[in-house]
Amino acid sequence: VQLQASGGGLVQPGGSLRLSCASSRFTLHYYAIAWFRQAPGKERERVSCLTSTDNKFYYSDSVKGRFTTSRDSAKNTVYLQLNSLKPEDTAVYYCASGDTCRTVVSPRGPGTLVTVSS
Protein backbone atom coordinates (compact mmCIF):
# COMPACT_ATOMS: atom_id res chain seq x y z
CA VAL A 1 0.00 0.00 0.00
CA GLN A 2 1.56 3.26 -1.16
CA LEU A 3 1.01 6.04 1.36
CA GLN A 4 1.80 9.74 1.28
CA ALA A 5 2.87 11.63 4.39
CA SER A 6 2.48 15.41 4.45
CA GLY A 7 2.25 18.37 6.79
CA GLY A 8 5.85 18.80 7.87
CA GLY A 9 7.57 22.12 8.26
CA LEU A 10 9.67 24.35 10.47
CA VAL A 11 8.41 24.90 14.01
CA GLN A 12 9.87 26.39 17.17
CA PRO A 13 10.55 24.26 20.23
CA GLY A 14 7.34 23.78 22.17
CA GLY A 15 5.25 24.18 19.05
CA SER A 16 2.86 21.81 17.30
CA LEU A 17 2.31 20.28 13.89
CA ARG A 18 -0.21 17.85 12.45
CA LEU A 19 0.99 15.32 9.93
CA SER A 20 -1.32 13.52 7.54
CA CYS A 21 -1.07 10.10 5.95
CA ALA A 22 -3.28 9.42 2.94
CA SER A 23 -3.74 7.07 0.03
CA SER A 24 -5.51 7.76 -3.23
CA ARG A 25 -5.94 4.08 -4.02
CA PHE A 26 -6.50 2.18 -0.77
CA THR A 27 -9.00 2.47 2.06
CA LEU A 28 -6.87 3.06 5.14
CA HIS A 29 -9.70 2.06 7.48
CA TYR A 30 -8.80 -1.58 6.88
CA TYR A 31 -5.12 -1.25 7.82
CA ALA A 32 -3.03 -0.61 10.86
CA ILE A 33 -1.08 2.59 10.23
CA ALA A 34 2.30 3.27 11.80
CA TRP A 35 4.38 6.42 11.85
CA PHE A 36 8.16 6.25 11.61
CA ARG A 37 10.83 8.90 11.70
CA GLN A 38 14.47 9.06 10.74
CA ALA A 39 16.78 11.78 11.95
CA PRO A 40 20.07 12.56 10.17
CA GLY A 41 22.67 9.96 11.04
CA LYS A 42 20.24 7.85 13.07
CA GLU A 43 18.30 4.68 12.48
CA ARG A 44 14.64 4.77 11.57
CA GLU A 45 12.39 4.71 14.64
CA ARG A 46 8.76 3.68 14.85
CA VAL A 47 6.94 6.27 16.94
CA SER A 48 3.32 5.16 16.83
CA CYS A 49 0.83 2.67 15.49
CA LEU A 50 -2.94 2.75 15.23
CA THR A 51 -4.74 -0.56 14.83
CA SER A 52 -7.44 -1.14 12.24
CA THR A 53 -9.90 -3.31 14.12
CA ASP A 54 -10.30 -1.56 17.46
CA ASN A 55 -8.49 1.76 17.00
CA LYS A 56 -5.99 1.06 19.75
CA PHE A 57 -2.79 3.04 19.61
CA TYR A 58 0.80 2.50 20.66
CA TYR A 59 3.59 5.04 21.12
CA SER A 60 7.33 4.90 21.62
CA ASP A 61 8.62 6.18 24.94
CA SER A 62 10.31 9.07 23.17
CA VAL A 63 6.98 10.59 22.09
CA LYS A 64 4.48 9.23 24.61
CA GLY A 65 2.37 12.01 26.08
CA ARG A 66 3.29 14.46 23.31
CA PHE A 67 2.18 12.79 20.06
CA THR A 68 -1.30 11.52 19.26
CA THR A 69 -2.44 9.44 16.31
CA SER A 70 -6.01 9.36 15.03
CA ARG A 71 -8.04 8.26 12.03
CA ASP A 72 -10.63 10.10 9.92
CA SER A 73 -12.22 7.39 7.81
CA ALA A 74 -14.41 9.87 5.92
CA LYS A 75 -11.27 11.57 4.64
CA ASN A 76 -9.32 8.31 4.31
CA THR A 77 -6.57 9.90 6.36
CA VAL A 78 -4.58 9.07 9.48
CA TYR A 79 -3.08 11.92 11.48
CA LEU A 80 -0.13 12.31 13.79
CA GLN A 81 -0.49 15.32 16.08
CA LEU A 82 2.90 16.49 17.32
CA ASN A 83 2.80 18.66 20.45
CA SER A 84 5.50 20.05 22.74
CA LEU A 85 8.05 19.57 20.00
CA LYS A 86 11.72 19.34 20.85
CA PRO A 87 14.79 19.82 18.63
CA GLU A 88 15.41 16.07 18.87
CA ASP A 89 12.08 15.49 17.11
CA THR A 90 13.66 16.87 13.93
CA ALA A 91 13.43 14.10 11.34
CA VAL A 92 11.76 12.91 8.17
CA TYR A 93 8.47 11.33 9.15
CA TYR A 94 6.94 8.46 7.21
CA CYS A 95 3.77 6.42 7.44
CA ALA A 96 3.30 2.77 6.55
CA SER A 97 0.57 0.14 6.74
CA GLY A 98 0.03 -3.46 7.69
CA ASP A 99 -2.73 -5.87 8.60
CA THR A 100 -1.75 -5.40 12.25
CA CYS A 101 0.74 -3.23 14.09
CA ARG A 102 3.05 -6.24 14.24
CA THR A 103 3.06 -6.69 10.46
CA VAL A 104 3.50 -3.09 9.36
CA VAL A 105 6.06 -3.01 6.55
CA SER A 106 8.87 -0.54 6.18
CA PRO A 107 7.77 2.78 4.70
CA ARG A 108 8.10 3.01 0.94
CA GLY A 109 6.58 6.36 0.13
CA PRO A 110 8.22 9.76 0.50
CA GLY A 111 8.26 11.24 3.97
CA THR A 112 7.71 14.75 5.26
CA LEU A 113 10.42 16.77 6.98
CA VAL A 114 9.81 18.19 10.45
CA THR A 115 12.40 20.68 11.67
CA VAL A 116 12.25 21.92 15.24
CA SER A 117 14.46 24.93 15.70
CA SER A 118 14.42 28.42 17.11
Side-chain angles (χ1 to χ4, degrees), residues 12-29:
Q12 292 186 342
S16 298
L17 278 176
R18 189 177 74 165
L19 307 184
S20 300
C21 177
S23 172
S24 60
R25 296 183 58 192
F26 299 95
T27 302
L28 300 188
H29 176 80

Side-chain angles (χ1 to χ4, degrees), residues 60-79:
S60 66
D61 288 342
S62 60
V63 307
K64 197 173 295 181
R66 300 188 298 120
F67 292 9
T68 304
T69 186
S70 61
R71 187 191 302 271
D72 187 336
S73 296
K75 295 184 178 180
N76 199 34
T77 301
V78 173
Y79 300 103

Side-chain angles (χ1 to χ4, degrees), residues 67-108:
F67 292 9
T68 304
T69 186
S70 61
R71 187 191 302 271
D72 187 336
S73 296
K75 295 184 178 180
N76 199 34
T77 301
V78 173
Y79 300 103
L80 184 67
Q81 178 70 39
L82 288 61
N83 296 327
S84 302
L85 282 163
K86 306 175 181 180
E88 52 263 43
D89 294 318
T90 295
V92 178
Y93 285 72
Y94 305 85
C95 56
S97 65
D99 292 333
T100 69
C101 283
R102 290 188 176 185
T103 60
V104 170
V105 298
S106 294
R108 289 177 289 178

